[in-house]
DNA sequence: ATACGGGCAGAGAGCGCTCTCAGAAACTGC
DNA sequence: GCAGTTTCTGAGAGCGCTCTCTGCCCGTAT
């Protein structure tokens, strides 16, 4: 019987009546139950149970101004959600951490200009308490939107748009791309390699730039022919590697800015008869399980805690929300997070 | 000025006042504007514009009982969202189609038992108008949950739990796995191959079973040694292929139930010195752009319209919602959809 | 001119919940 | 035993919106 009530869902009113208390008391119990006599708490709990009561979120958020939902905004999903197991894992982290905070994940994929409109309207509509934004490029209007409407926002990766530089109020979670790159290159140097090249990601993304900076930190005046721009795809890595071999046949090590690209590079090296790591040592970046370990040879790579980054984004956002609602704003202001990376040695270097 | 109102968002009341009309009229205009004189429509539009009014969804859905959101429930995301570009693409289709219908996508990833609880509560809470469910296995409680609470639901792929068989009220969108497999095998036969094997997906998934059935449709009494179970992963495909070569060294063609597995198979064949397609012809399944075309040799495969399937799920759900709200239920009942597949010939067979 | 019908606009009653505020009940101290 | 506290409970006012219902105004027919 009671598990088939498909029609009218019970209201708080009904629960209160059944428990013989007022709506206010029932509400108190449902929301934590502090300050209510134990006997009544029990009664209400029982009524909730029997009726199969579930609070109506719409009514609740109408008055609390909280929705219990967080938007995850992804620009250019085609190139991202997709090709990128990276993002999938981050999403997993986000989802898990949101579950901990009893919040829902509203996924907004943004493709065209019209979508920006739609998403902008949605975010302004008070449908969500905050937003986690993954936007790749500098000209993205998203950051401006969330800022204008005052929606708490955390970015995935250091945002690259000009005004953000040095603006401490812009919150993001990133991994230590530069440090990781440094460690990778240092490792290659320690191996005695002398012509160390790098295949970068698209240089309009901060992650790519930071990794390249890390490379230059160690190899301050590297031969510019040893730097080739890739696009984070397997094919792009292959293309870049081919180009590199043509430009600098004497290359003996490559720091490739992603595992996927490293795979492409590995393939080209194999095709051209270069042995890895004997002739050319390779270090990747990401440590994506499905790629790095299975590569031939298994990739030495820089590990980032991808899922952890997703979780941290949520925690940062939630902390911001708490502050805001407490009108507290005490303590020192929230600041962006940079998660450590670490070199994982396998066979390729 | 007006684009920085971070505090109080304007209400319909405010719009009405500014336009010099009643709240009711303002509401009419905002929701389509039929039955309102053009002059007033203009005035209200202007007021909306000037105030930057955005309707409060909570208030609206409190009275309409519609949320404008659809849940996408994914069981076992780790093995799915992840490894599976397949799912990503379907999600893209879903997102795009939902945008068309002005609905939001609430992503629910389900992992442990506790999650089922949480998700069940959420779905019962009236937070969403319907659900799109991807659940892999027979024992999944999800279908039961949505059914019990009477939430309109469409499944991704034919559900495999026992009670669903033959139940026309269970709606799903699937591709023609069996037909596609048949076509693949028929093609291999037409090539004159005589020892045609198959690497299946996990046989607790209907898609895998259906593809295997398609294989048997053509090869009614195939040697059981020619059937090996894989797991839809690259590594699994490699493993299965190796096993196959051991069991039946004379195999001259393989229908592999996914492109990813086909890649693994290709790799093993290469390692063992078998030429593709000369010695062993391979046909994959999925036609995933990032895999099939880039494989060496490029894969002949069965194409499914993955994104389209996502879109169809949404359309089916939306149609169900419309019917339900119109109390119409006229016309013939909605029925599940099976999208066609087609063989794409490349070099591997 | 009066009666009647149709198209439009406004008043107002909720939707289900939270939260303040005030009053009841139980406790303390003198 | 009574005033002064403290703890708990209930009444009731909204949150912002939709939607029905009533009434106005206009055009047309009588």
């Amino acid at each position: 019987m009671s598990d088939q009530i498909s029609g009218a869902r019970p209201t708080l009113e009904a629960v209160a009546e059944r428990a013989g208390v007022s709506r206010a008391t029932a509400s108190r119990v449902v929301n934590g139950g502090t300050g209510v006599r134990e006997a009544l708490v029990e009664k209400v709990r029982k009524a909730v149970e029997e009726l199969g009561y579930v609070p109506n979120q719409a009514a609740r958020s109408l008055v609390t101004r909280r929705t219990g939902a967080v938007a995850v905004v992804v620009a250019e999903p085609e190139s991202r959600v997709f090709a990128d197991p990276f993002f999938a894992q981050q999403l997993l982290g986000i989802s898990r951490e949101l579950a901990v905070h009893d919040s829902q994940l509203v996924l907004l994929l943004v493709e065209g200009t019209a979508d920006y409109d739609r998403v902008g309207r949605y975010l302004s509509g008070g449908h969500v308490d905050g937003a986690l934004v993954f936007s790749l490029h500098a000209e993205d209007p998203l950051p401006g939107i969330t800022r204008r409407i005052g929606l708490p926002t955390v970015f995935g990766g250091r945002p690259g748009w000009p005004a953000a530089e040095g603006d401490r109020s812009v919150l993001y979670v990133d991994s230590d791309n530069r440090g990781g790159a440094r460690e990778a290159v240092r490792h290659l140097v320690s191996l005695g390699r002398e012509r160390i090249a790098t295949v970068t990601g698209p240089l309009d993304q901060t992650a790519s730039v930071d990794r390249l900076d890390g490379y230059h930190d160690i190899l301050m005046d590297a031969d510019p022919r040893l730097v080739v721009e890739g696009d984070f795809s397997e094919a792009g890595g292959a293309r870049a590697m081919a180009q590199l071999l043509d430009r600098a046949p004497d290359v003996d090590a490559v720091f490739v800015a992603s595992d996927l690209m490293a795979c492409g590079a590995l393939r080209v090296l194999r095709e051209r008869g270069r042995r890895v790591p004997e002739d050319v040592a390779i270090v990747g970046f990401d440590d994506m399980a499905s790629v790095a370990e299975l590569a031939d040879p298994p990739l030495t790579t820089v590990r980032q805690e991808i899922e952890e980054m997703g979780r941290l984004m949520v925690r940062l956002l939630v902390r911001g929300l708490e502050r805001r609602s407490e009108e507290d704003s005490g303590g020192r202001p929230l600041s962006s997070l940079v998660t450590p990376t670490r070199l994982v040695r396998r066979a390729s270097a």
Side-chain angles (χ1 to χ4, degrees), chain A:
Chain A
M1 271 269 104
S2 79
D3 62 344
Q4 302 203 31
I5 27 93
S6 62
R9 293 202 295 116
T11 70
L12 230 210
E13 189 78 53
V15 171
E17 190 179 0
R18 185 175 192 108
V21 300
S22 73
R23 213 172 53 240
T25 299
S27 174
R28 283 189 194 101
V29 173
V30 170
N31 297 293
T34 60
V36 180
R37 237 182 325 150
E38 194 53 35
L40 291 193
V41 171
E42 257 330 297
K43 270 198 207 160
V44 173
R45 287 255 162 77
K46 189 150 157 284
V48 165
E49 187 70 25
E50 289 170 356
L51 264 39
Y53 171 75
V54 183
N56 178 319
Q57 180 62 27
R60 178 179 278 178
S61 63
L62 180 56
V63 30
T64 58
R65 266 95 213 307
R66 284 292 221 100
T67 64
V70 168
V72 173
V73 186
V74 185
E76 305 186 32
E78 185 115 33
S79 68
R80 187 140 201 167
V81 170
F82 248 148
D84 226 344
F86 185 98
F87 180 72
Q89 191 153 359
Q90 215 159 358
L91 198 61
L92 201 58
I94 290 173
S95 164
R96 285 175 175 157
E97 189 68 26
L98 281 176
V100 169
H101 295 278
D102 237 331
S103 284
Q104 296 312 321
L105 191 172
V106 179
L107 188 64
L108 304 172
L109 305 183
V110 187
E111 300 187 86
T113 337
D115 283 353
Y116 279 107
D117 247 50
R118 184 173 58 83
V119 168
R121 219 162 350 131
Y122 184 76
L123 294 177
S124 326
H127 297 155
V128 293
D129 299 332
L132 302 177
V133 176
F134 295 84
S135 79
L136 296 168
H137 302 298
E139 330 75 47
D140 200 311
L142 241 26
I145 294 177
T146 64
R147 151 153 294 197
R148 189 161 48 237
I149 61 183
L151 189 72
T153 303
V154 173
F155 294 89
R158 184 165 62 82
W161 79 96
E165 310 290 341
D167 180 346
R168 310 257 315 158
S169 73
V170 171
L171 258 31
Y172 62 86
V173 173
D174 204 349
S175 65
D176 183 9
N177 290 304
R178 190 164 183 163
R182 225 153 28 205
E183 201 177 349
V185 176
R186 206 181 290 128
H187 175 64
L188 290 171
V189 169
S190 78
L191 255 31
R193 305 291 167 152
E194 309 204 308
R195 292 286 283 169
I196 304 175
T198 185
V199 173
T200 74
L203 291 175
D204 58 347
Q205 295 181 31
T206 56
S208 305
V209 173
D210 291 351
R211 289 173 200 178
L212 178 56
D213 285 346
Y215 168 84
H216 278 129
D217 284 345
I218 306 294
L219 270 22
M220 308 237 261
D221 29 38
D223 181 345
R225 279 171 307 174
L226 292 177
V227 177
V228 184
E229 185 171 349
D231 63 0
F232 281 147
S233 76
E234 202 269 357
R239 221 175 302 126
M241 189 69 231
Q243 198 177 334
L244 198 53
L245 286 173
D246 294 342
R247 280 209 249 173
D250 59 337
V251 62
D252 62 2
V254 189
F255 163 55
V256 187
S258 90
D259 286 351
L260 221 50
M261 288 198 296
C263 275
L266 245 31
R267 180 161 56 83
V268 167
L269 287 168
R270 200 184 310 123
E271 287 167 10
R272 305 253 186 135
R274 310 273 185 127
R275 292 165 307 161
V276 176
E278 294 83 350
D279 303 328
V280 181
I282 298 284
V283 178
F285 206 109
D286 288 345
D287 195 28
M288 275 176 2
S290 55
V291 177
E293 286 174 21
L294 291 164
D296 177 28
L299 278 173
T300 290
T301 189
V302 178
R303 176 174 184 79
Q304 9 179 19
E305 299 300 332
I306 304 178
E307 191 194 323
E308 182 63 14
M309 288 172 60
R311 302 191 95 115
L312 286 176
M313 287 180 71
V314 173
R315 289 211 205 111
L316 197 53
L317 186 66
V318 167
R319 214 167 308 156
L321 294 174
E322 283 166 357
R323 294 231 176 149
R324 148 175 299 222
S325 69
E326 287 168 6
E327 282 303 358
D328 169 3
S329 69
R332 68 188 209 312
L334 294 174
S335 77
S336 297
L337 262 30
V338 175
T339 64
T341 53
R342 85 168 195 276
L343 191 72
V344 177
R345 296 194 202 180
R346 297 206 182 85
S348 73

